[in-house]
């Protein structure tokens, strides 16, 4: 069988030979109607009948795995796709390093593994729920299509995790798969599992920041799980990463295009001081200091997703071979972390300072450090656009102690430079660092839909190239009359 090809004959497209696995096939077919109901209830509001120019995976071959066509979203072919198995793969780290990778769940780690799959799975539908109203205020059909592409792929990522639950975790797996459809982002009684996935995504700048910063947390987690000794999880995550790249592309280029438009408008109006906020806003674009504040918010909320800097759970998941480090396979050490230390930023005697800790306990910290490095790459590209327009402003990621709700810095207030503030100072200066109500109102006032092919809202530049090389005036979404 050609693993790269996807079988589209049944209800559930797959490359895992579902046709020869009647128990799992039946379980997934039973889960399917609940999923479609969830999508119709919680997926993009108002566009379920529109034709959207979407990519669908037809292969897991990295060179050419997708085809593009118009699809009504509820008819999207969500499927189960795993990257090809590597013959003879070994567990790459932890106490079982060098043993054959597990093709079945190792009994002693069953609960831990299930939890990792459920937590990852829970984030996928959560982001669809968070983004469900954005379609109504899309700045262009191009952006509307990108939103929906991200949404359907997050739906597919849910399928990916639900397949693992149904195939490998028996009755508990089935119950967890049901629960993934029951929780709701932001619901006080049945919230999603992680904080950042219960926040609102109220506007398009938030959406782009979310896909830049929070989908990138997704990338880091998937990279760590792609190293897993449990081979089906590794293969699932490897394919998800191919899709994830597009989500971060949407975020990075979205923010780039907003910055570009702001800089162009400032230049045209002869404004060189980025802090002349009122003047800039009168041009119908988003001032750079407000973009910085949004970045501060999304970055800090996303850092919380990495959990406590020092974590026994993370140590156990590594030690047992379930969750590796970022790109474990490229690291040169013993892959067991015996007697090795890692510098962890901690609050010691009221001061923020590094302390060497056992590397095994510091894995969350390490993954977060890798994340920050990765985040800074795109920020550098944003700053290049600003510099090209000769405007004296630089977007900077805030200090990791800023605005935190999990980990070492939960109980202090720090400014974006990492200086500890009193509660009173924080209250007074909060609006310097995070969007104020006035900032939010201003952004909201700009969120007027632009649904004419080839046109863009005042506050965002067109993309350099179209999706699938389509021309600028391509009708990415054919909107159905309500
Ligand atoms: Fe995802
Ligand atoms: Fe994503």
């Amino acid at each position: 069988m050609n693993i790269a090809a996807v079988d589209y004959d049944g209800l559930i497209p797959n490359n895992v030979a579902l046709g020869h696995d009647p128990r799992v096939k039946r379980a997934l077919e039973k889960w399917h109607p609940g999923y479609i109901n969830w999508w119709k209830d919680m997926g993009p509001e108002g566009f379920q009948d529109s034709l959207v120019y979407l990519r669908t995976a037809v292969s897991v071959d990295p060179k050419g795995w997708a085809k593009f066509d118009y699809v009504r979203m509820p008819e999207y072919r969500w499927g189960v796709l795993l990257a090809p198995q590597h013959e003879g793969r070994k567990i790459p780290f932890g106490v079982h390093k060098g043993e054959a990778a597990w093709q079945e769940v190792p009994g002693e780690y069953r609960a831990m593994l299930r939890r990792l799959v459920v937590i990852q799975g829970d984030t996928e539908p959560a982001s669809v729920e968070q983004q469900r109203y954005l379609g109504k205020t899309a700045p262009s059909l191009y952006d509307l299509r990108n939103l929906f592409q991200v949404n359907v792929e997050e739906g597919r990522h849910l399928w990916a995790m639900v397949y693992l639950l149904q195939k490998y975790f028996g009755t508990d797996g089935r119950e967890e798969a049901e629960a993934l459809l029951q929780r709701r982002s932001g619901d006080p009684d049945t919230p999603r599992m992680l904080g950042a996935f219960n926040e609102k995504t109220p506007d398009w700048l938030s959406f782009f920041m979310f896909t830049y910063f929070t989908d990138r947390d997704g990338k880091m987690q998937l990279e760590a799980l792609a190293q897993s000794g449990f081979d089906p999880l590794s293969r699932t995550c490897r394919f998800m990463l191919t899709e994830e790249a597009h989500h971060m592309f949407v975020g990075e280029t979205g923010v780039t295009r907003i910055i570009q438009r702001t800089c162009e408008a400032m230049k045209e109006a002869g404004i060189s001081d980025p802090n002349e906020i009122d003047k800039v806003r009168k041009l119908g674009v988003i001032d750079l200091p407000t973009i910085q504040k949004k970045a501060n918010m999304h970055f800090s909320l996303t850092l919380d997703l990495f959990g406590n800097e020092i974590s026994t759970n993370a140590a156990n998941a590594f030690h047992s071979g379930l969750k590796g480090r970022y790109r474990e396979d490229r690291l040169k050490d013993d892959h067991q972390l015996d007697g090795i230390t890692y510098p962890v930023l901690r609050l010691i005697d009221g001061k923020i300072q590094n302390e060497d800790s056992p590397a095994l306990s510091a894995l969350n910290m390490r993954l977060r450090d890798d994340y920050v490095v990765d985040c800074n790459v795109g920020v550098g590209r944003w700053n290049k656009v600003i510099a090209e327009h000769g405007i004296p402003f630089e977007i900077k990621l805030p200090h990791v102690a800023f605005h935190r709700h999990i980990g070492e810095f939960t109980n202090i207030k720090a400014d974006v430079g990492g200086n500890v503030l009193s509660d009173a100072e924080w209250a007074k200066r909060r609006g310097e660092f995070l969007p104020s109500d006035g900032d939010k109102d201003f952004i909201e006032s700009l969120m007027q839909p632009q649904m004419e092919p080839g046109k863009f809202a005042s506050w965002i530049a067109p993309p350099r190239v179209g999706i699938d090389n389509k021309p600028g005036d391509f009708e990415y979404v054919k909107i159905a009359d309500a």
Side-chain angles (χ1 to χ4, degrees):
M1 185 191 135
N2 173 10
I3 176 75
V6 180
D7 170 7
Y8 270 92
D9 290 345
L11 179 66
I12 300 155
N14 71 91
N15 70 345
V16 294
L18 264 191
H20 299 287
D21 197 348
R23 182 189 66 80
V24 177
K25 182 164 178 273
R26 225 176 304 121
L28 290 173
E29 284 173 356
K30 247 181 107 181
W31 187 79
H32 183 268
Y35 172 81
I36 296 294
N37 286 339
W38 166 81
W39 178 269
K40 287 184 175 163
D41 285 353
M42 298 309 294
E45 164 109 352
F47 295 91
Q48 300 280 349
D49 293 323
S50 299
L51 287 167
V52 187
Y53 193 70
L54 292 175
R55 73 175 182 188
T56 304
V58 287
S59 153
V60 289
D61 184 343
K63 314 178 206 67
W65 55 273
K67 78 170 170 48
F68 289 82
D69 206 352
Y70 284 107
V71 184
R72 282 185 191 83
M73 284 184 280
E75 292 158 18
Y76 188 78
R77 299 303 308 276
W78 285 283
V80 177
L81 307 170
L82 270 60
Q85 189 167 351
H86 290 164
E87 214 47 64
R89 180 169 178 260
K90 304 271 190 279
I91 298 169
F93 58 90
V95 70
H96 300 286
K97 191 185 100 175
E99 296 173 20
W102 297 298
Q103 300 304 327
E104 294 294 332
V105 174
E108 73 260 51
Y109 304 136
R110 196 167 186 276
M112 208 190 323
L113 193 51
R114 189 185 65 209
R115 180 142 182 96
L116 288 172
V117 171
V118 168
I119 290 177
Q120 180 62 41
D122 194 66
T123 65
E124 313 290 356
S127 65
V128 176
E129 293 163 3
Q130 288 170 293
Q131 295 161 12
R132 66 184 289 235
Y133 298 114
L134 286 174
K136 297 182 176 186
T137 55
S140 72
L141 291 182
Y142 167 87
D143 291 292
L144 187 62
R145 177 265 166 210
N146 284 350
L147 166 70
F148 294 158
Q149 184 70 60
V150 170
N151 291 160
V152 294
E153 285 177 355
E154 299 305 5
R156 206 205 66 73
H157 291 176
L158 173 59
W159 274 93
M161 292 297 128
V162 163
Y163 168 71
L164 295 178
L165 289 170
Q166 301 270 23
K167 167 120 179 134
Y168 296 100
F169 294 92
T171 313
D172 331 342
R174 200 158 57 235
E175 282 163 12
E176 295 285 12
E178 282 308 317
L180 284 167
L181 294 177
Q182 304 308 324
R183 288 186 286 274
R184 291 285 181 273
S185 175
D187 188 303
D189 300 323
T190 54
R192 292 292 172 185
M193 296 169 88
L194 302 174
F197 290 91
N198 288 302
E199 299 283 333
K200 287 201 167 74
T201 311
D203 59 72
W204 280 77
L205 179 54
S206 299
F207 170 66
F208 293 130
M209 289 292 180
F210 185 96
T211 40
Y212 186 75
F213 288 111
T214 310
D215 281 72
R216 189 174 309 275
D217 160 69
K219 167 188 161 177
M220 302 308 289
Q221 303 299 336
L222 292 173
E223 288 274 10
L225 293 172
Q227 303 289 340
S228 182
F230 179 51
D231 207 39
L233 177 60
S234 164
R235 292 171 56 203
T236 301
C237 292
R238 271 162 47 213
F239 186 66
M240 290 164 77
L241 280 163
T242 335
E243 296 166 312
E244 204 60 53
H246 178 65
H247 308 178
M248 287 176 292
F249 161 86
V250 168
E252 184 183 328
T253 55
V255 176
T256 303
R257 290 161 53 217
I258 294 173
I259 290 173
Q260 188 191 330
R261 187 66 208 110
T262 299
C263 294
E264 285 166 1
M266 284 173 68
K267 247 190 139 177
E268 283 156 22
I271 303 171
S272 53
D273 180 357
N275 294 312
E276 292 206 77
I277 289 173
D278 291 339
K279 277 196 192 168
V280 173
R281 287 185 176 183
K282 283 208 180 85
L283 307 171
V285 296
I286 306 173
D287 52 284
L288 298 174
T290 298
I291 295 173
Q292 172 72 65
K293 287 193 230 175
K294 281 277 203 181
N296 292 347
M297 189 172 81
H298 285 271
F299 178 70
S300 58
L301 286 172
T302 304
L303 290 181
D304 284 341
L305 294 172
F306 290 86
N308 286 314
E309 287 83 348
I310 301 291
S311 161
T312 320
N313 281 344
N316 289 339
F318 183 88
H319 183 70
S320 48
L322 301 183
K323 184 177 178 184
R325 288 169 293 175
Y326 180 58
R327 304 202 169 149
E328 183 77 38
D329 47 358
R330 299 187 204 172
L331 298 174
K332 302 252 177 291
D333 57 21
D334 70 349
H335 301 280
Q336 290 179 321
L337 305 178
D338 285 334
I340 299 176
T341 61
Y342 188 85
V344 174
L345 210 53
R346 307 200 68 166
L347 190 67
I348 300 166
D349 302 330
K351 285 207 187 79
I352 298 169
Q353 46 190 297
N354 269 319
E355 184 184 72
D356 281 338
S357 304
L360 200 53
S361 312
L363 286 161
N364 285 345
M365 174 77 200
R366 181 174 183 136
L367 193 61
R368 195 186 78 194
D369 283 344
D370 289 330
Y371 168 78
V372 174
V373 170
D374 209 53
C375 280
N376 264 314
V377 176
V379 173
R381 286 193 280 255
W382 295 341
N383 285 329
K384 231 177 120 202
V385 174
I386 303 173
E388 277 163 9
H389 288 81
I391 295 168
F393 192 89
E394 233 179 89
I395 309 262
K396 285 195 192 84
L397 295 181
H399 193 278
V400 293
F402 168 76
H403 190 234
R404 298 297 307 281
H405 300 92
I406 285 181
E408 281 293 305
F409 309 115
T410 310
N411 295 320
I412 56 159
K413 302 275 189 285
D415 69 7
V416 288
N419 305 298
V420 180
L421 302 180
S422 70
D423 284 358
E425 282 171 308
W426 169 260
K428 214 167 76 196
R429 295 184 58 197
R430 190 181 196 280
E432 279 174 46
F433 312 131
L434 292 168
S436 64
D437 288 343
D439 298 330
K440 290 179 200 164
D441 290 347
F442 168 68
I443 293 172
E444 205 189 299
S445 76
L446 291 181
M447 296 296 126
Q448 306 300 327
Q450 176 50 271
M451 304 281 181
E452 248 183 83
K455 295 218 166 151
F456 289 80
S458 65
W459 49 269
I460 190 164
R464 264 182 230 273
V465 272
I467 292 294
D468 193 30
N469 281 317
K470 292 296 177 209
D473 59 353
F474 184 71
E475 193 175 5
Y476 287 101
V477 182
K478 295 183 179 175
I479 294 167
D481 296 326

